[in-house]
Amino acid sequence: MEQKRKRRRKKKRRSAAQKFGIFSAVLLSVILLFLLLLVIGYFWMDSHGRSAFAQKQEAVPEQMQDFSVSENDAGKALEAGTLRYNGKTYAYKKDILTFLCMGIDKTGEVKASSDLYRGGQADALFLAVLDPEDKKISVIGINRDTMTEIKTYDPNGLYAGKEVAQIALAHAYGEGLEESCENSVEAVSNLFYGLPIHGYCALNMSIISTINDAVGGVEVTIPESVAKGGMKIGGRWYGSEWKPGDRVHLEGEEAYVYIKYRDTREAQSAEARLSRQKEYLQGFIGQAKTAMKQDMTLPLKLYTQVSPYMVTDISADEAVYLAGQALSYSFDQNDIYTMEGHVEMGEIFEEFYQDDTALYELILQVFYDEVTP
């Protein structure tokens, strides 16, 4: 398949702390899913939430059809949401719900930025996908350095056209609130061939320790990739005493260190961190379920604690509907996907170029059913 976009390299600014690697998409997936899907689940708003999402589920990823027809399939008219690819017919799952979740490189409570270029970069982006047909949750991690078209604005807030840059910068163009999130939603949707996105959530990342402790901490096995180092937070070192193979119950800042630490001097350090985060997520899910059984008000407590650090367009009634759906859905490490591609060194920082064919086929796998023509 031919590349669907022409790309050019573009500079981006990023602090040393960001280069160190602040959250990956995988970590935030379960944390935000629990916040969004379990919150206020004991109220009465399920019916209204279902109706609200039904209206949002009318769209289909139209760009998928533009790139789908192979030579042997040419000339065959198909209805919206249905396509032919490599001799097979696929239909978009119209009941599926997709949410963009972002980890923003800011600490403290969410505040509007007076500087248009300082809305905060999205250092972690992922799509959380709820599939009611298969009763499962899937998570697709998006490399924050993915080179794609994003909207840009001048210092006066006027639209300045689209440029090819790291997708993390889409959130930076804005006030750091709804405008920044909507800019990111559009960029991700276009990257994924016009994929409908039914809601978004952006979280300032300093809240991870609070969430970890709210469920009673998470137990993990220390691998070599994090035992080598540790991090200094608030004048204190965390994780420096860890040894490979140790079984550790993470509390407070330890959780932040475990899922954040990355030695960029080491080859494949991103993959090693991703492996740690997958283990953390599995532990977090089990611990959160246990904590919920002991305290049914936990979701509301978490929501109250996290709200000052979060921007979302998912309403309370929609969250209730999602809670009722998602609690019975399956989710494991095999449901976590990452984009294939290659990294090139730009003028200053790394740039990730996705494999368009692999991305297209991943979308087919998660969002489509193969059907008999």
Side-chain angles (χ1 to χ4, degrees), residues 38-47 296-297 299-300 303 316-317 319-321 323:
L38 300 182
V39 69
I40 42 181
Y42 42 83
F43 285 109
W44 56 271
M45 297 176 284
D46 175 86
S47 177
M296 290 300 296
T297 68
L300 184 57
Y303 188 82
D317 52 352
V320 169
Y321 169 67

Side-chain angles (χ1 to χ4, degrees), residues 26-35 126 281 284-285 331:
V26 177
L27 165 70
L28 289 175
S29 59
V30 169
I31 291 177
L32 289 179
L33 281 172
F34 268 84
L35 293 175
F126 63 89
L281 290 180
F284 181 89
I285 292 174
F331 174 72

Side-chain angles (χ1 to χ4, degrees), residues 305-367:
Q305 287 180 299
V306 172
S307 289
Y309 305 85
M310 180 171 62
V311 178
T312 183
D313 66 345
I314 298 176
S315 64
D317 52 352
E318 291 171 340
V320 169
Y321 169 67
L322 294 174
Q325 294 292 304
L327 282 175
S328 61
Y329 285 20
S330 65
F331 174 72
D332 59 39
Q333 292 187 14
N334 295 325
D335 299 318
I336 301 173
Y337 304 91
T338 54
M339 295 168 58
E340 295 183 24
H342 69 278
V343 176
E344 296 181 9
M345 192 63 200
E347 296 180 30
I348 301 179
F349 299 111
E350 291 182 343
E351 299 172 350
F352 177 82
Y353 293 90
Q354 81 275 2
D355 181 321
D356 287 328
T357 298
L359 176 59
Y360 189 93
E361 293 176 350
L362 173 60
I363 296 172
L364 286 179
Q365 178 181 352
V366 175
F367 297 93

Side-chain angles (χ1 to χ4, degrees), residues 13 36 43 49 86 88 118 123 128 213 247 254 284 291 303 324 332 361:
R13 298 186 179 279
L36 294 176
F43 285 109
N86 288 344
K88 297 181 180 180
R118 295 185 179 178
D123 267 347
D213 290 356
R247 194 69 179 166
E254 291 177 339
F284 181 89
Y303 188 82
D332 59 39
E361 293 176 350

